[in-house]
């Protein structure tokens, strides 16, 4: 398979799809809309999981596991929730196969019909709140701070690797609280955890804000979001945290006796990020040569490629490489020595560029003589000669520098792509010519929001939390507005 | 809820179920046969996962993720495989809900029928081998050493928490090799990894062996198993590793060009352990007071309970407790300080006995004066007074001692419950009076195996790998036999 990718400037969408496949991140399976996450892609996801899991535990959460199936009757209990998900539910109706009587093969056994159909969870609020009813009697049982790592299924018609798949992996936190205030604080805290993760690990700047009513999670009173900007000027919702009020507690009759002895409904939040973040990571940093991975999430941070003729040279280089690997590993740096004799150095260079390994060391006989190595940075595609005795400290500081530099570069791009507009003409021309976020006044109605969406495909990504009060008029309706919101076309 | 459990001697099965629920490990959900794994139970599972995952990676495996759905046609491709699983498959037939036209609520949208029904994976050989076809062309692409952590569904009619549930969590390794020999070596290696994990982390002795043809995995040429013995004399299959030959490669047309340029089918293994191990852990060590957890898998290894009257005493004890916690944590020991004022010390003692925390420290004002603490062992229910300055070293060595002691105790019990018998009368009386493994000669036929099962409910758990060649006659048929096998009633 050729390592050459379509250029981003030619066809960004095609570039993305080729890159995900050629860099061995994922591929579509034989099952409609479901992907296979390949080992290299999964290794990145594991690093994401591990950091997020640590952050969840540091903020007092525990993991648990709830059933993948939800009885249809549970699912229907919260009215706006079922409205939001009903059209994309996979439904289990039977539980057995049998041999066809006409000998044509294996068929579904129609006699083994379920009494009640089961929904494959698209999200778990309903089954979890049905469980919490049994866990909560008194204020002493609160808060419940639980997260689960799980697969979920949403029957999407148009799918794209990582960004929109019928099955995806995610975590979903579901918390229960005695007071409204505590639940809101939790939802806001988790938005901050997500923003922290996106910026410090993914090197991806995000804007924190709240969703409009139209864009809220089905069943939420408030949805907190982090929004990122991809290199093609489209926004990507990278994580959401929902204040659910007492909606699910009422639907599932979850009450507690307060300190004051009163019977009250419990307050809820839920929050999640998914394998969609893999798509965001790819589209934030990568280039026409392949992936660019931030060191904090790269499964391999440093690769060593030997350049040699004959067994003797290889052995000499291997000894030095092993020594370097040991020193790097002591520092907690992950390193791979690619001494395969089935591929040439040039092929390997292209391979690790494609896979986004942050630093590449090349070592040949000349380097052995001079006590040097060639060190190449993936993000800048620059090379330098480094003395072997300075290599480990150079690598340590470079990994930190690369992480910061990727963030800065993405932030510069993002900041340059937030454009204030005050007329709808301007709105449309910026959207088409430049893309990115458009900061504009909006009259606060769903009607205007929907009309703008129909005309331009741009949606309100969020009402930024740092949006300042400002007199203005709606860019579309001309009605008064007191705050700018961010519009964009989005993934 | 009362902490008192039914005694094991009265009703082992009832004791088990009560313990799993009261110790907050798991509970049945509102979905038939599906359990909720509660935070404390999941924390134990996470420790299991973390150790197993490390062992898999140390033996060269990588994680990946494959779809939860399997098209019915894939599933049917390997004949003995579909025979083995068809009767317990959950089948997705539709992908949308809608409002009922008669206003009766939400119903399955019959217009949204899938063209091909999907099976919710009971195991993933078929979808994975359909994928491997795309990954393998040459011997250079082999071996593939992949594992996945996933949920699977088998529509069991009689379910029990952890031991047999419709949905369960597991890992499934699926490897592809160029030669038969390499595949067999892999299957044997993973049996050893499982045995190592069971013995060194679960403190659960196991017998390594192979399954008879009747008991083999559907589609395997050889199934390697580890078999444990529970306290009620019943065996539990704790992990299996399968040599699959070329069955799946042939069914899914997975071929490679060998070094010699010949086109050959790939050789396969698969191997798995599941949340069933949680049931095995409970039933191997626990007692009438509750869980007994081996220190290597205990989420909390040490708990500190303060005994105090008034705020001043609590503060003094808390200071000391914090100091002890810091010292223990530096040693990598997990410790919890339970300073809740909502429960009395006696209640807490019972609680941590129920939850199997290996060591409990109690500290009161007298201890503060004397520079001591009371240290209680969960496994032996013994207490000693320990000087505070010796506490950390005492705990370090006790945790090691407890781990070893639990293993020894379980092994003694197991060894005492392997009984050699030479007649069928003896077979039946040992099975009924004493239980455990019965070591007996068997003529090697499925007919005899099935008859013994029908008459006694005992099955051949395995042909032990250390079984020696020995002249004998089958305990049932009187036909000649050259090896003893192990029979038992099993979970």
């Amino acid at each position: 398979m050729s390592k050459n990718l379509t250029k981003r400037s030619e066809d960004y969408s095609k570039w993305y799809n080729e890159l995900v496949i050629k860099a061995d991140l994922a591929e579509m399976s034989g099952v409609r809309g479901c992907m296979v996450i390949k080992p290299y892609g999964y290794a990145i996801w594991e690093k994401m999981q591990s950091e997020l899991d640590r952050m969840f535990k540091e903020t007092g959460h525990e993991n648990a596991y709830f059933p993948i199936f939800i009885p249809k009757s549970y699912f229907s209990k919260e009215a706006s929730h079922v409205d939001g998900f009903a059209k994309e539910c996979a439904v289990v109706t039977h539980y057995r196969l049998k041999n066809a009587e006409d000998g044509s093969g294996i068929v579904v056994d129609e006699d083994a019909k379920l009494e009640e159909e089961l929904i494959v969870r698209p999200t778990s609020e309903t089954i979890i709140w049905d469980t919490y009813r049994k866990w909560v009697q008194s204020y002493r049982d609160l808060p419940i701070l639980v997260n689960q790592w799980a697969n979920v299924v949403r029957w999407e018609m148009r799918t794209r690797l990582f960004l929109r798949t019928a099955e995806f992996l995610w975590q979903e936190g579901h918390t229960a609280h005695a007071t409204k205030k505590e639940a809101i604080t939790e939802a806001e805290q988790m938005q901050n955890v997500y923003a922290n993760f996106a910026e410090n690990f993914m090197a991806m700047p995000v804007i924190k804000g709240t969703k409009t009513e139209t864009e809220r999670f089905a069943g939420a009173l408030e949805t907190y979001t982090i929004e990122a900007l991809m290199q093609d000027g489209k926004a990507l919702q990278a994580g959401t945290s929902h204040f659910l009020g007492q909606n699910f507690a009422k639907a599932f009759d979850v009450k507690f006796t307060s300190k004051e002895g009163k019977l009250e409904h419990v307050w809820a939040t839920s929050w999640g990020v998914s394998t969609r973040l893999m798509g965001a990571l790819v589209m934030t940093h990568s280039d026409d040569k392949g992936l660019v991975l931030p060191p904090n999430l790269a499964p391999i941070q440093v690769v060593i490629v030997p350049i040699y003729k004959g067994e003797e040279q290889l052995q000499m280089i291997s000894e030095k490489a092993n020594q370097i690997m040991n020193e790097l590993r002591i520092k907690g740096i992950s390193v791979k020595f690619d001494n395969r004799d089935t591929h040439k150095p040039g092929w390997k260079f292209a391979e690790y560029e494609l896979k986004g390994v942050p630093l590449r060391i090349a070592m040949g006989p000349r380097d052995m003589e001079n006590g040097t190595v060639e060190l190449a940075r993936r993000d800048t595609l620059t090379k330098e000669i480094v003395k072997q005795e300075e290599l480990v400290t150079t690598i340590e500081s470079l990994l930190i520098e690369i992480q910061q530099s990727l963030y800065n570069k993405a932030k510069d791009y993002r900041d340059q792509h937030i454009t204030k507009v005050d007329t709808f003409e301007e709105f449309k021309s910026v959207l088409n010519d430049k893309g990115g976020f458009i900061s504009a006044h909006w009259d606060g109605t769903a009607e205007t929001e929907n009309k703008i969406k129909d005309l331009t495909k741009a949606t309100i990504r969020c009402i930024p939390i740092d949006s300042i009060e400002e007199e203005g008029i709606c860019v579309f309706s001309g009605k008064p507005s007191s705050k700018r919101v961010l519009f964009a076309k989005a993934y």
Side-chain angles (χ1 to χ4, degrees), chain A:
Chain A
M1 189 165 69
S2 154
K3 292 197 199 300
N4 288 336
L5 299 169
T6 297
K7 285 191 167 41
R8 285 168 295 169
S9 56
E10 280 171 24
D11 187 338
Y12 192 79
S13 170
K14 199 171 167 199
W15 165 83
Y16 172 79
N17 207 46
E18 285 179 7
L19 176 52
V20 168
I21 291 168
K22 290 191 178 185
D24 283 334
L25 301 183
E27 64 188 34
M28 278 300 174
S29 74
V31 188
R32 206 198 133 288
C34 291
M35 66 180 160
V36 171
I37 306 180
K38 298 180 76 174
Y40 192 62
Y42 201 84
I44 301 172
W45 175 240
E46 277 181 311
K47 296 211 92 172
M48 289 186 173
Q49 281 190 299
S50 149
E51 296 301 340
L52 285 165
D53 198 67
R54 179 183 54 73
M55 291 166 121
F56 298 158
K57 284 174 177 158
E58 281 172 5
T59 45
H61 302 88
E62 300 176 296
N63 289 327
Y65 189 76
F66 298 86
I68 187 173
F69 297 133
I70 302 176
K72 202 185 60 198
S73 59
Y74 290 20
F75 196 70
S76 311
K77 279 193 180 176
E78 214 288 328
S80 60
H81 190 69
V82 70
D83 283 352
F85 288 101
K87 294 208 171 112
E88 48 189 47
C89 283
V91 190
V92 178
T93 59
H94 293 73
Y95 65 89
R96 203 166 59 204
L97 301 176
K98 65 170 186 179
N99 277 306
E101 280 161 24
D102 63 2
S104 64
I106 301 292
V107 296
V108 173
D109 184 348
E110 290 296 333
D111 294 339
K113 197 173 190 320
L114 292 178
E115 278 181 38
E116 179 173 10
E117 289 98 349
L118 298 172
I119 310 302
V120 183
R121 63 180 162 220
T123 180
S124 302
E125 278 77 7
T126 54
I127 186 81
I128 287 179
W129 280 85
D130 184 68
T131 306
Y132 283 178
R133 187 178 57 250
K134 298 169 223 163
W135 293 5
V136 178
Q137 276 92 42
S138 139
Y139 70 92
R140 287 186 205 88
D141 302 321
L142 296 171
I144 299 175
L145 302 173
V146 162
N147 175 62
Q148 91 169 343
W149 291 96
N151 54 343
V152 284
V153 171
R154 298 179 186 177
W155 206 261
E156 303 277 1
M157 281 301 157
R158 282 188 213 164
T159 57
R160 297 193 61 192
L161 289 164
F162 290 123
L163 299 171
R164 197 173 292 275
T165 48
E167 181 193 21
F168 56 92
L169 303 183
W170 79 346
Q171 60 67 219
E172 45 181 326
H174 295 272
T175 68
H177 304 267
T179 65
K180 176 177 177 177
K181 192 179 160 199
E182 194 184 299
I184 290 175
T185 302
E186 165 78 9
E188 289 172 349
Q189 170 185 255
M190 298 322 291
Q191 180 188 37
N192 286 326
V193 165
Y194 289 153
N196 178 354
F197 173 75
E199 303 201 332
N200 295 321
F201 290 89
M202 297 177 68
M204 180 176 79
V206 292
I207 292 168
K208 292 191 280 188
T210 52
K211 288 286 183 186
T212 62
E213 201 178 335
T214 315
E215 297 279 336
R216 252 176 229 153
F217 177 75
L221 300 188
E222 186 80 275
T223 288
Y224 301 86
T225 182
I226 58 169
E227 299 283 328
L229 191 66
M230 303 295 101
Q231 295 171 353
D232 62 345
K234 283 169 81 175
L236 186 143
Q237 174 182 305
T240 49
S241 177
H242 315 292
F243 168 58
L244 303 171
Q246 295 171 308
N247 288 349
F248 287 92
K250 284 178 181 164
F252 290 90
D253 196 29
V254 187
K255 291 178 188 161
F256 72 103
T257 311
S258 72
K259 267 187 188 162
E260 295 74 30
K262 276 171 61 185
L263 203 59
E264 294 176 19
H265 281 109
V266 173
W267 299 85
T269 84
S270 67
W271 30 274
V273 296
S274 74
T275 37
R276 189 162 216 245
L277 289 181
M278 293 287 296
L281 186 73
V282 171
M283 289 198 292
T284 299
H285 305 297
S286 301
D287 63 23
D288 292 349
K289 298 225 171 223
L291 281 182
V292 176
L293 293 178
N296 288 354
L297 293 178
I300 305 166
Q301 294 174 310
V302 180
V303 65
I304 304 175
V305 177
I307 297 164
Y308 63 97
K309 280 187 190 137
E311 199 52 42
E312 198 184 326
Q313 285 188 2
L314 176 61
Q315 204 183 327
M316 199 169 63
I317 295 169
S318 296
E319 266 174 42
K320 180 49 83 178
N322 283 325
Q323 184 201 321
I324 293 169
M325 283 200 289
N326 286 337
E327 291 172 24
L328 289 174
R329 280 175 186 154
I330 287 167
K331 302 281 184 183
I333 294 165
S334 60
V335 52
K336 175 179 171 174
F337 179 42
D338 186 349
N339 60 355
R340 286 179 293 174
D341 61 3
T342 44
H343 298 90
K344 297 225 187 296
W347 187 96
K348 292 178 188 175
F349 288 4
E351 173 74 6
Y352 296 109
E353 274 173 9
L354 183 60
K355 293 206 163 167
V357 175
L359 288 171
R360 180 187 76 221
I361 295 168
M363 286 162 64
R366 185 71 59 86
D367 293 303
M368 292 296 102
E369 280 170 31
N370 299 341
T372 57
V373 305
E374 184 192 81
L375 186 61
R377 261 176 85 152
R378 173 62 186 90
D379 62 331
T380 52
L381 294 168
T382 51
K383 295 178 197 174
E384 57 177 325
I385 302 298
V386 179
K387 285 190 188 156
Q388 287 172 6
E389 66 263 31
E390 293 168 8
L391 184 59
V392 173
T393 49
T394 305
I395 286 174
E396 271 190 292
S397 58
L398 266 183
L399 289 175
I400 294 168
E401 188 182 321
I402 293 169
Q403 181 77 27
Q404 189 61 47
S405 165
L406 288 177
Y407 177 79
N408 292 346
K409 193 177 160 197
K411 186 158 185 302
D412 285 348
Y413 175 84
R414 197 275 313 270
D415 289 347
Q416 283 159 22
H417 286 80
I418 303 178
T419 312
K420 280 193 186 178
V421 308
D422 292 309
T423 68
F424 197 54
E425 283 313 303
E426 221 185 333
F427 185 109
K428 286 185 287 187
S429 75
V430 170
L431 192 70
N432 287 332
D433 301 345
K434 185 179 172 188
F437 290 113
I438 296 179
S439 175
H441 278 283
W442 162 62
D443 63 19
T445 68
E447 192 191 347
T448 297
E449 193 180 0
N450 291 331
K451 276 188 185 155
I452 293 176
K453 184 179 178 184
D454 289 345
L455 290 167
T456 67
K457 291 186 183 158
T459 49
I460 300 178
R461 302 317 304 153
C462 71
I463 306 159
I465 54 168
D466 59 3
S467 182
I468 47 170
E469 293 283 320
E470 173 188 285
E471 293 284 304
I473 57 164
C474 173
V475 81
F476 185 78
S477 69
K479 290 180 190 162
S481 150
S482 63
K483 249 188 195 178
R484 287 179 185 270
V485 298
L486 289 183
F487 288 85
K489 290 186 191 169
Y491 279 95

